[in-house]
Amino acid sequence: MSTRFPFTAVVGQQDLQLALLLNAVAPNIGGVLVRGEKGTAKSTAVRALAALLPEVEVVAGCRFSCDPASPDPTCPDGPHTGAAAEARDARMVELPVGASEDRLVGALDIERALAEGVKAFEPGLLAAANRGILYVDEVNLLHDHLVDVLLDAAAMGASYVEREGVSVRHAARFLLVGTMNPEEGELRPQLLDRFGLTVEVAASREPDQRVEVVRRRLAYDDDPAAFAARWADEESAVRRRIVAARELLPKVRLGDGALKQIAATCAAFEVDGMRADIVMARTATALAAWDGRSDVLAEDVRQAALLALPHRRRRNPFDAPGLDEDKLDRTLEESAGDDDDPDPDGPGGGGQPSPEEGPQGGDAGAQAGTGEDGKDGEPQPAAGGAGEQAPARAAEPFRTKALTVPGVGAGAAGRRSRARTERGRTTGALRPRGALTKLHLAATVRAAAPHQRARGRSGPGLVLRRDDLRQAAREGREGNLVLFVVDASGSMAARQRMSAVKGAVLSLLLDAYQRRDKVGLVTFRGTAAEVALPPTSSVDAAAARLESLPTGGRTPLAAGLLKAHDVLRVERLRDPSRRALLVVVTDGRATGGPEPVALAGRAARLLGAESVASVVVDCESGPVRLGLAGRLAEELGGTAVTLEELRADAIAGLVRDVRGTTSRRAA
């Protein structure tokens, strides 16, 4: 067994360490979501925590780690009356991003269940993690239905497996820890809310601290055992402190004053529901126990708010998580009374513990310098320099209806286009490829029925063979790659028009976020096009790039379309099952270079020949319109829609237009 990096040797991540330790003291807090850039010791700290947890007493031979003092009466390995007990280390179980639902919750042997009526159950990762840690690296990349199952089990403390009327239940109480890089996509707000605490981590910008990180890592790599031995005393001290805090926790008093501050804080930050209040109360109590106190103080409430509220206060998907600490202090001070709260001083008094000094999710807005106004037709560089105008602010986003890719795909689960999926309505049956996951009972019985006499059936059970089993074919929705190609040239540079264009693209990005799409952003201006954002699941990143997009210069439309063609070609190789929707935002003009209009037409026909589903958002304005965007849409084999028609109440016929155009092209 390899030697893990010591938990106490992690440098500069006090918030992360505190959040993990509080959950070790009080697992009912609900786990930790760790957000941050790559290379910030997220996984290292989580894996190191497992070595600090006290040993657990389990029923000998129980695959579900039942507590011998109070065994689960519904345990599939039970009953455990009079069973022997044994002690073992707390487990840390890792859930891979590509795991199936059967791997997570376990699987029933459907063949034995139908033929013999036996509940033959193979436990999954939830059973292995019972009374330990369940760790999900890159939890934002986990399929939504798996996240739902995972968080339901964490909330209920039990896992249910149901197949064709056969059900199994077992205990599933674990410390849930998820890590994610926000650049790779966000969790839905309702899933964020299910994590008890969240921590933002970032690499230190202090040279001395960075030097210490490198020094410790190199020492660990050279001799892991010797390095761990150097930190053994610190590790033992933390382990003893966890045990002491667990013993003290039931005796900690949460006074009415602290409860009032918790309620006032949650109300002031407009969090939805009551989960935040409950998590804050549990966290404040755990903080008091961790510090060896039997009373909750105002400083505990403040620290609990910093850990429990940032991910719950987001009002729309593009808001960065975080908490206004000045507002938090004012709220706590105003809600502090002279009742039975043992802390007579208001929040913020005295020195705060070091974990509060960590990063709290602040983000620097993108800035761009202003330049001289550019005119369409004058040679300008693709970005920066003369002719570049300051970025226009996006107009208020609006609700749109879905633009779907025609046909039936087989991509990653989502909410946009029709697809063959593991979840959804049953449309038929087929022979399983590999392990059976969704039984089609009627088709299985029909396949087995003609052979019962030949197989010598004599009892009530159905005599089944492996070849009789049928998998249910289901149809649901998939997520697509929505590639935006945005004209940022001088012909689009009127600030009012560009503001409306950005508002429209932002609205489509919001729709893509809700439908679990990947997005990419190509812009063109001056003399060339660039990939402003390679295809990613982080719609937030696309919105940030859009907000800082400068304008001005010529209109190299052909370059933009060819760049989009290259991006789509690479993505087809990387993710062949994910279908694409091309959204071109332009007024249709093309300038710069020899025969710019003809070049743009050839580039559009190249995309059209590959049957790329496309929509052209016509941004032309004014009383006289040339209809260039409509002609571009025809050459792409797609459809054109004005900015006004993008709104939900005016877009009803757009999906039909996309499908109809594609059907005519195929014919």
Side-chain angles (χ1 to χ4, degrees), residues 154-382:
M156 295 185 297
S159 174
Y160 295 84
V161 183
E162 299 191 9
R163 293 279 177 82
E164 310 298 338
V166 181
S167 63
V168 171
R169 176 202 174 279
H170 65 81
R173 301 185 182 278
F174 47 82
L175 195 169
L176 175 63
V177 183
T179 59
M180 59 176 282
N181 184 347
E183 293 180 358
E184 298 173 343
E186 285 283 0
L187 278 172
R188 301 198 313 270
Q190 59 268 41
L191 299 182
L192 278 172
D193 182 59
R194 299 294 291 273
F195 281 93
L197 309 180
T198 188
V199 179
E200 293 280 332
V201 297
S204 173
R205 298 297 181 257
E206 293 293 330
D208 290 344
Q209 198 169 71
R210 296 175 74 95
V211 167
E212 185 62 23
V213 170
V214 175
R215 181 181 292 119
R216 293 187 187 183
R217 186 70 211 189
L218 293 178
Y220 171 77
D221 290 341
D222 288 342
D223 191 342
F227 184 81
R230 285 170 47 195
W231 293 89
D233 291 343
E234 288 85 350
E235 295 282 285
S236 297
V238 172
R239 191 178 297 110
R240 290 192 299 269
R241 192 173 174 184
I242 292 174
V243 174
R246 285 184 174 183
E247 294 174 352
L248 179 60
L249 186 65
K251 305 172 187 176
V252 175
R253 187 174 70 95
L254 182 65
D256 289 343
L259 280 172
K260 181 180 177 182
Q261 288 184 315
I262 289 171
T265 302
C266 292
F269 285 97
E270 301 179 18
V271 297
D272 296 328
M274 294 297 298
R275 184 175 284 118
D277 303 62
I278 296 170
V279 171
M280 273 191 66
R282 290 171 174 168
T283 305
T285 304
L287 278 162
W290 178 249
D291 285 342
R293 290 182 275 103
S294 58
D295 288 302
V296 173
L297 306 181
E299 65 189 46
D300 299 325
V301 176
R302 186 181 192 276
Q303 182 64 53
L306 293 174
L307 293 172
L309 295 188
H311 60 304
R312 292 185 165 92
R313 60 153 296 276
R314 295 173 55 156
R315 308 317 298 169
N316 72 66
F318 301 140
D319 287 343
L323 214 60
D324 184 339
E325 294 194 37
D326 291 335
K327 179 179 178 180
L328 172 62
D329 289 336
R330 289 194 304 270
T331 301
L332 292 174
E333 185 175 358
E334 292 168 0
S335 59
D338 55 357
D339 48 20
D340 64 347
D341 192 317
D343 180 21
D345 300 322
Q352 297 295 339
S354 60
E356 289 182 11
E357 299 172 5
Q360 293 299 330
D363 61 329
Q367 299 178 356
T370 58
E372 299 177 4
D373 291 342
K375 295 181 181 179
D376 194 30
E378 296 179 1
Q380 303 294 344

Side-chain angles (χ1 to χ4, degrees), residues 9 24 48 62 119 134 147 194 226 305 311 356 360 425 432 474 482 578:
C62 177
K119 291 183 182 179
L134 182 61
V147 177
R194 299 294 291 273
H311 60 304
E356 289 182 11
Q360 293 299 330
R425 63 186 182 91
R474 302 193 173 193
V482 182
R578 188 181 291 269

